[in-house]
Amino acid sequence: MSYHSLSDASAALRDGSVTSRELTDAALDRASKTEAELHAYLTLDHDGARQSADAADAAFAAGRDSGPFQGIPVAIKDNLVTRGIETTAASQILAGYIPPYDGTAVARLKAQGAVITGKTNLDEFAMGSSTENSAFGPTRNPWNTNRVPGGSSGGSAVAVAAGSALVGLGSDTGGSIRQPAALCGVVGMKPTYGLVSRYGLIAFASSLDQIGPITRTVEDSVAALETLAGHDPLDATSYRGDVPDFRVGFDDGVAGLTIGVVRQLSGEGFEAGVEAAFRRTVDLLSEAGARVVEVSLPSLDVSLSAYYLIAPAECSANLARFDGVRYGLRHDGPTVEEMMTATRADGFGPEVIRRILLGTYALSAGYYDAFYGQAQKVRTKVIQDFEAAYEQADVLVSPTAPTTAFEVGSKTQEPLSMYLSDICTIPSNLAGDPAISVPVGLDDAGLPIGFQVMAPALGEAVMFRVARAVERAVAFEQRPPMLEVWS
Amino acid sequence: MPIDIDIAHVARLARLGLSDEELSGYQAQLGVILDHAARVQEFDTEGVEPTAHPLSMVNAFRPDEVRPSLDRREVLEQSPAHEDGYFRVPPHLETQ
Amino acid sequence: MNWEPVIGIEVHVELKTASKMFCGCRVDFGSEPNTNVCPVCLALPGALPVPNEQAIEWIVQIGLALNCTISPQSLFHRKNYFYADLPKNYQISQFDIPVCSGGFLDVVLDGETVRVAINRVHQEEDTGKSIHVGGGGRIHSAEATLLDFNRAGVPLVEVVTEPDIHSPAQARAYAQQLRSVIETLGVSDAKLEEGSMRFDANVSIRPQGDQELGAKVEVKNMNSFRSLERALAYEIVRQTELREDGQRIPQETRHWDEEAGITQGMRSKEGSSDYRYFPEPDLVPIVVSDEQRERIRSTLPELPHERRARYVDFGLDSHAAWVLVSGEDGLAGLFEDAVGLGADPKQVAKWLTGETTAYLRREDATIESRALTAAHLVEMTGMLAAGKLSASAAKEVLTGVLDGEGSPGEVATARDLIQMSDGAAIEVEVDAVLDSNPDALEKIRSGDMKPFGFLVGQVMRATSGKADPKVVNEILRNRASQ
Ligand SMILES: [Zn+2]
């Protein structure tokens, strides 16, 4: 028994053709068969999941229906705190840490009766694009286990792609939901900044971080965002207006819409297979009635530089709290200062240390204006560029990543080259705009390719509408071949 | 021009106890990354205001109301060391 | 050479909000350690700050009371430094755009007014508390540090002056009068001994007439107005001696040792001055509209300087007015009530700022703990005016009232202090004395006033000192001119 999506499973739960316990057992069973190879999860909560499943089934039996997530197995990225379930952000510094509270996104899912299968792997503190920077070992791509799943939400993307959860929660600071979704052949979306509360998300770069869903379908992405979005008094950056209707024109197709192809996001550095799939998809949208125009984001190139100053600067302060005093790892020393420096050097992995050093430097006396201050001005330019582009087009499109999944270990020695691979996804984080990745095909090596749709702030409805049209036009139905072996 | 970083000073500021070998490794990597990042300086931002935040929101406050605190036992259970209801750490070297 | 001290003062004031600055934990200093803590103020992973609206309203009040400009838009910044009692290892504070800037406080010292310029008033959060255990409790030999985060995140307002103060006495007067403003606003307990109001001072000296500032020394750990004054006096002498000796003054932080009466250099913190301020990305800007600002201004209570001016209008001298407003708690209330009941303001002020204040200092007591009421003051000043009490008897009566022996009338009666001010009764006594001393009367009548004092003394003796000397004088003068 296998359900393709949240909406399928949700319907089946309601017509009685399946129970939450069956769905949950199926997800956990899949995990037991795949985890040795994929390592999508850092923690599997068998007991908790089964208890929640039984509670959901009891609710259905009693005629209670709290929403689409009732009884649905969901995997949570391990940088989202979960009350009573170990939460590590894939860092040694938090090994064994049990949070005393649920983050708001998790609480909203639980309030609907979702079943938390466990906590998924990530690049330590979400810093990375391959899920190789996990202190507890890398996650592998289910399409080819020699390849990375992308990152940093690699674990959640893999859990959804491999069927050990129907929905995964991720976080996206520079593409950490969309890029692994693209590399794993699933749908990943980053909402408008502020739409989903960050309370309970272990901060990487506060002004860029957003929580979002990884799903099998665009419809599921909408349902998930409807559950997650909304003002939270515990997050001062949470959007206070009414949550827009994400379904306006959802099934209306793209006729009458203008699609802007970002000129700078093609050519050098983009794999031929990725470019071909992207062009094919744009042609399909054009055939479906969209007007296609080329738009330019002149600051795109320099936006990467700005990102790699802003994100490390914020992270250098966000990660200062990990000091061995109140929780997590402690490496003892004769004085509290020595304890802190030893704990932090021991507890953080090299990528995290690299970014803390980079951010500390960028903020330090004498360099602030040249680096951080200037990067914030570039950010303004990026926003202005997007505004100008949205005067010409309803949405902007690009490949989600310049390449398909690369080989495990191939880029770990070149941090800069890894950073440059985030060029397609970073601008939306700097602007705070929503963006989604939809799978649109496989390359010659049989690896998935993602198509990114970007929209202006709070423009989720038009973004989903185009993404849905892409999904229909492309009809991407392939599954990882290994699933046959694992099921 | 490779950017020359006083990496030991930066590591001290960040409370990262790294060996000399680690420090020189990071120094080289950061030099390369900062070379790239320094391109923000070439960008003409004359008259451009910085953006600290993608939202143009202001005044997000909470009312002055007391909310329940955490259970101390649960909090201290997560700590590496505690004593008589306090978190315990090695002594300070410096005074503030 | 003449050296001019240049002093700037930073005052931290803990606001008495119900909950902390960025979370809902209770602000309460009597609680068991680590019981008023939550994910936010313990900096647990994933927690986010949300500012307390009351604190923002109060800092605007403070700014307005100190004649500051209120920024239409201000920002929170992160001030980065590692310290075990600072859970996030950064403090949410303000940097380039504080809520309030550019104000002043007019300080009265020895009857003169000195204007102290305020550079800024900004909002931040407090740290936790450390206890050093083992090694006899001394910091440098402690075996461990115990941390309590109940205070972490309590709203703090920092008031920073310009280097505008030129003597320890001025510094003390500024601190006292600032406290009086804060108390009047009712936004803080402002208790020095409990640390809800704390001072740091920057001190340097320069040759008289120079404009350039010398290397500044930051002095910390002054827990009373007196220790502020003493520490500054010590520091100025220390710096002057070094300079006279041709030495340079290093920029440093020094700790005031109350017992030893000296300041001592603290072990310097490596790199601690690089706070790497940047805008706090978890928070959005604070906007105070003109309308809000004026609404807050309209709710300000009468401020000490305004009250002082009103008291001067009552005919009080500026010192008495200052003592009433800024001296012992509760004096001004008693004064206002007694005047409201019809007492002579100057008389009431004299007894409150003189004997009552001296009594409270002597007894180390507060006015609230004593039985003195406005009605008592009305009664006592009335008795004085009617001649029923002599000035020295009144002192005794006031002490008795303060001691709880009853109303002034009751105390005076019980202690047999009522003056004989009945003219007819005194006339009888005067006439008896004159009868026994006809020569003296004659001399006075012939213009020799020498025996006058002697006659007064005789009357006072005859009445065991209870006759009102004014009345005795008057009757004697009458008799002499007959
Ligand atoms: Zn709290």
Side-chain angles (χ1 to χ4, degrees):
Chain A
M1 165 216 54
S2 159
Y3 289 87
H4 175 64
S5 64
L6 160 66
S7 46
D8 288 353
S10 208
L13 282 166
R14 279 160 184 78
D15 69 22
S17 54
V18 73
T19 63
S20 172
R21 183 61 186 259
E22 286 165 341
L23 283 175
T24 302
D25 283 340
L28 294 173
D29 179 54
R30 179 62 60 85
S32 71
K33 290 178 174 135
T34 57
E35 275 303 282
E37 281 177 84
L38 299 179
H39 193 221
Y41 285 92
L42 292 174
T43 304
L44 272 163
D45 185 17
H46 294 91
D47 294 347
R50 291 194 173 111
Q51 275 171 28
S52 305
D54 291 346
D57 286 329
F60 281 121
R64 283 200 310 278
D65 192 340
S66 304
F69 276 89
Q70 182 164 304
I72 299 293
V74 181
I76 309 289
K77 189 178 183 181
D78 203 34
N79 62 349
L80 292 156
V81 303
T82 42
R83 185 181 170 89
I85 306 178
E86 183 178 353
T87 299
T88 66
S91 181
Q92 283 296 352
I93 211 158
L94 276 177
Y97 173 66
I98 313 280
Y101 75 107
D102 277 325
T104 300
V106 170
R108 279 173 169 262
L109 289 175
K110 280 189 175 175
Q112 280 197 8
V115 173
I116 309 298
T117 50
K119 305 300 292 291
T120 58
N121 202 6
L122 63 150
D123 288 295
E124 185 178 355
F125 287 106
M127 295 175 195
S129 313
S130 66
T131 318
E132 291 168 292
N133 299 330
S134 166
F136 309 110
T139 296
R140 306 274 176 156
N141 194 313
W143 294 83
N144 179 340
T145 54
N146 290 324
R147 304 284 175 146
V148 301
S152 65
S153 310
S156 283
V158 170
V160 173
S164 55
L166 274 170
V167 175
L169 276 199
S171 68
D172 190 316
T173 305
S176 279
I177 289 174
R178 292 162 284 160
Q179 185 256 17
L183 270 49
C184 292
V186 291
V187 175
M189 83 101 26
K190 179 199 93 75
T192 298
Y193 186 84
L195 205 48
V196 177
S197 169
R198 293 184 294 114
Y199 191 73
L201 167 63
I202 300 179
F204 163 14
S206 314
S207 74
L208 303 164
D209 295 342
Q210 265 295 279
I211 295 169
I214 294 173
T215 55
R216 304 254 178 85
T217 67
V218 176
E219 161 64 36
D220 287 2
S221 191
V222 175
L225 188 60
E226 284 170 340
T227 298
L228 297 171
H231 177 66
D232 180 7
L234 298 176
D235 176 359
T237 63
S238 160
Y239 177 66
R240 275 176 287 171
D242 291 334
V243 174
D245 181 353
F246 304 132
R247 292 181 187 271
V248 175
F250 184 55
D251 280 313
D252 291 358
V254 287
L257 292 182
T258 305
I259 311 282
V261 174
V262 180
R263 182 190 303 156
Q264 286 85 355
L265 294 177
S266 64
E268 198 196 335
F270 284 74
E271 285 179 356
V274 170
E275 290 240 35
F278 174 70
R279 292 289 161 197
R280 211 162 46 235
T281 307
V282 171
D283 289 346
L284 288 173
L285 290 175
S286 174
E287 283 163 25
R291 194 165 74 90
V292 176
V293 298
E294 195 179 74
V295 299
S296 175
L297 297 176
S299 58
L300 200 124
D301 201 25
V302 75
S303 72
L304 204 62
S305 300
Y307 174 86
Y308 276 99
L309 291 168
I310 292 169
E314 292 183 12
C315 105
S316 72
N318 283 331
L319 270 59
R321 66 187 58 194
F322 302 101
D323 59 4
V325 173
R326 285 146 291 122
Y327 46 79
L329 180 81
R330 176 183 294 183
H331 186 125
D332 244 313
T335 67
V336 70
E337 292 77 16
E338 285 164 272
M339 181 278 280
M340 284 184 185
T341 53
T343 299
R344 289 167 59 78
D346 256 25
F348 291 135
E351 181 60 29
V352 173
I353 290 180
R354 190 149 45 231
R355 296 204 199 189
I356 291 175
L357 290 170
L358 183 55
T360 303
Y361 174 80
L363 290 174
S364 63
Y367 301 103
Y368 181 93
D369 290 337
F371 289 108
Y372 191 78
Q374 185 71 6
Q376 286 199 319
K377 290 181 181 175
V378 169
R379 190 169 187 177
T380 307
K381 291 289 261 187
V382 171
I383 291 170
Q384 290 169 352
D385 281 1
F386 268 114
E387 280 168 358
Y390 286 124
E391 278 174 19
Q392 301 165 55
D394 296 298
V395 296
L396 305 185
V397 296
S398 76
T400 306
T403 70
T404 53
F406 45 89
E407 286 194 14
V408 171
S410 64
K411 290 196 188 178
T412 44
Q413 294 313 308
E414 306 163 65
L416 185 59
S417 126
M418 186 86 92
Y419 294 175
L420 296 178
S421 70
D422 297 333
I423 184 69
C424 302
T425 46
I426 277 173
S428 302
N429 296 86
L430 288 172
D433 294 343
I436 191 169
S437 176
V438 183
V440 291
L442 302 178
D443 69 1
D444 291 344
L447 295 167
I449 296 162
F451 182 89
Q452 178 176 235
V453 182
M454 298 169 268
L458 300 174
E460 272 83 357
V462 67
M463 174 195 77
F464 281 132
R465 178 178 167 185
V466 174
R468 173 79 180 121
V470 168
E471 188 179 46
R472 276 189 173 171
V474 172
F476 177 81
E477 278 166 0
Q478 291 97 319
R479 320 263 13 116
M482 283 296 283
L483 283 189
E484 299 299 325
V485 182
W486 287 324
S487 57
Chain B
M1 41 120 235
I3 292 174
D4 191 27
I5 305 157
D6 182 352
I7 193 77
H9 173 68
V10 176
R12 255 195 317 276
L13 280 177
R15 290 287 193 276
L16 290 165
L18 303 170
S19 68
D20 290 346
E21 196 187 335
E22 289 170 314
L23 284 174
S24 64
Y26 285 118
Q27 184 176 34
Q29 289 167 349
L30 258 59
V32 174
I33 297 164
L34 280 166
D35 246 7
H36 189 273
R39 287 157 63 184
V40 296
Q41 290 156 21
E42 293 152 21
F43 204 70
D44 180 16
T45 50
E46 179 83 20
V48 177
E49 287 296 313
T51 296
H53 226 272
L55 293 177
S56 49
M57 271 170 56
V58 298
N59 289 352
F61 298 126
R62 43 174 280 274
D64 183 23
E65 283 164 11
V66 174
R67 313 262 308 159
S69 292
L70 288 170
D71 176 55
R72 182 169 73 181
R73 221 169 17 110
E74 198 178 358
V75 166
L76 292 177
E77 249 169 33
Q78 294 299 316
S79 72
H82 59 94
E83 181 178 327
D84 299 337
Y86 294 90
F87 293 87
R88 185 188 162 104
V89 293
H92 284 280
L93 171 67
E94 303 147 343
T95 56
Q96 166 94 355
Chain C
M1 188 179 300
N2 269 332
W3 297 95
E4 178 191 41
V6 181
I7 300 165
I9 296 186
E10 293 169 12
V11 180
H12 286 92
V13 181
E14 264 175 5
L15 299 183
K16 59 174 183 192
T17 46
S19 63
K20 292 186 181 180
M21 186 61 218
F22 297 111
C23 64
C25 288
R26 186 182 300 283
V27 173
D28 176 20
F29 302 105
S31 304
E32 285 287 297
N34 295 307
T35 51
N36 300 325
V37 293
C38 74
V40 178
C41 58
L42 272 181
L44 297 190
L48 295 171
V50 183
N52 186 330
E53 186 159 32
Q54 179 71 75
I56 302 299
E57 171 132 356
W58 281 352
I59 192 177
V60 173
Q61 276 194 14
I62 294 171
L64 290 172
L66 297 175
N67 308 290
C68 290
T69 304
I70 307 301
S71 309
Q73 176 156 331
S74 59
L75 286 180
F76 282 112
H77 272 62
R78 290 185 183 177
K79 180 182 183 180
N80 295 285
Y81 65 97
F82 282 84
Y83 213 72
D85 62 14
L86 183 66
K88 298 186 291 293
N89 285 315
Y90 58 82
Q91 181 189 36
I92 302 178
S93 181
Q94 296 195 285
F95 183 54
D96 51 356
I97 324 174
V99 178
C100 323
S101 56
F104 62 84
L105 179 64
D106 281 336
V107 171
V108 179
L109 178 63
D110 301 332
E112 282 189 28
T113 302
V114 183
R115 176 159 292 188
V116 175
I118 308 283
N119 172 286
R120 59 194 272 137
V121 181
H122 74 246
Q123 182 76 64
E124 57 185 35
E125 55 177 339
D126 212 341
T127 61
K129 276 186 176 167
S130 332
I131 302 173
H132 305 285
V133 293
R138 294 188 60 88
I139 290 172
H140 293 298
S141 53
E143 283 162 12
T145 300
L146 300 182
L147 297 161
D148 170 15
F149 293 104
N150 284 346
R151 198 182 66 177
V154 168
L156 268 190
V157 163
E158 183 171 342
V159 181
V160 183
T161 73
E162 297 290 353
D164 225 16
I165 296 170
H166 298 289
S167 74
Q170 274 180 17
R172 177 183 182 148
Y174 163 75
Q176 281 176 318
Q177 287 167 54
L178 177 66
R179 176 167 174 264
S180 162
V181 169
I182 302 291
E183 280 189 318
T184 305
L185 295 175
V187 298
S188 170
D189 289 336
K191 287 190 176 135
L192 277 61
E193 59 282 9
E194 287 171 19
S196 52
M197 189 167 180
R198 315 195 274 271
F199 313 106
D200 299 325
N202 290 310
V203 195
S204 63
I205 58 168
R206 64 184 173 196
Q208 195 85 45
D210 261 25
Q211 286 309 303
E212 216 164 296
L213 291 173
K216 77 181 180 193
V217 171
E218 191 175 9
V219 184
K220 289 179 174 282
N221 194 42
M222 297 158 297
N223 301 323
S224 67
F225 295 122
R226 185 167 165 272
S227 66
L228 171 70
E229 192 172 1
R230 283 179 71 206
L232 291 176
Y234 173 86
E235 188 55 28
I236 291 162
V237 169
R238 186 187 72 87
Q239 291 188 21
T240 306
E241 282 173 356
L242 283 174
R243 290 292 292 270
E244 301 260 300
D245 201 28
Q247 297 187 45
R248 266 186 65 251
I249 313 262
Q251 183 157 339
E252 62 172 339
T253 298
R254 298 178 70 83
H255 200 78
W256 169 247
D257 184 334
E258 179 75 35
E259 236 165 81
I262 57 169
T263 63
Q264 280 179 310
M266 290 162 71
R267 213 187 275 207
S268 75
K269 284 196 300 168
E270 204 171 16
S272 66
S273 58
D274 192 349
Y275 290 125
R276 290 160 283 133
Y277 281 100
F278 73 101
E280 165 56 286
D282 287 332
L283 297 174
V284 299
I286 304 161
V287 167
V288 181
S289 67
D290 293 356
E291 203 180 23
Q292 271 171 305
R293 185 191 63 223
E294 293 314 311
R295 178 186 58 75
I296 294 171
R297 195 195 301 277
S298 72
T299 64
L300 288 181
E302 184 183 38
L303 294 168
H305 72 273
E306 294 165 337
R307 185 173 273 205
R308 217 150 53 208
R310 189 159 54 84
Y311 289 180
V312 170
D313 289 345
F314 281 151
L316 269 52
D317 65 57
S318 75
H319 178 73
W322 183 78
V323 174
L324 282 179
V325 172
S326 308
E328 302 294 328
D329 293 346
L331 288 185
L334 268 181
F335 171 76
E336 301 245 347
D337 291 349
V339 172
L341 292 171
D344 173 13
K346 281 169 97 166
Q347 279 297 314
V348 176
K350 180 184 144 200
W351 288 99
L352 284 174
T353 61
E355 191 52 27
T356 307
T357 299
Y359 173 93
L360 295 174
R361 296 240 167 101
R362 200 165 59 233
E363 300 288 317
D364 195 22
T366 61
I367 194 75
E368 287 87 0
S369 69
R370 300 289 142 166
L372 183 67
T373 66
H376 290 155
L377 288 165
V378 175
E379 186 184 347
M380 195 188 84
T381 52
M383 287 170 79
L384 268 163
K388 288 185 181 160
L389 283 180
S390 67
S392 61
K395 265 191 181 178
E396 214 179 318
V397 166
L398 186 58
T399 305
V401 174
L402 285 161
D403 279 340
E405 290 169 19
S407 71
E410 288 164 353
V411 174
T413 308
R415 297 196 179 187
D416 200 14
L417 294 168
I418 303 279
Q419 227 170 215
M420 191 188 281
S421 55
D422 172 354
I426 295 175
E427 263 175 32
V428 173
E429 299 293 339
V430 169
D431 288 342
V433 166
L434 290 177
D435 283 351
S436 336
N437 297 283
D439 295 355
L441 184 62
E442 275 313 305
K443 275 190 181 165
I444 291 167
R445 282 185 172 156
S446 66
D448 178 3
M449 293 303 284
K450 271 183 219 147
F452 194 88
F454 165 76
L455 291 173
V456 172
Q458 290 300 305
V459 177
M460 295 309 286
R461 179 187 286 178
T463 59
S464 325
K466 281 189 204 154
D468 181 345
K470 263 194 301 192
V471 181
V472 175
N473 268 297
E474 205 176 301
I475 296 169
L476 264 176
R477 237 178 251 118
N478 272 333
R479 292 286 187 273
S481 60
Q482 273 166 10

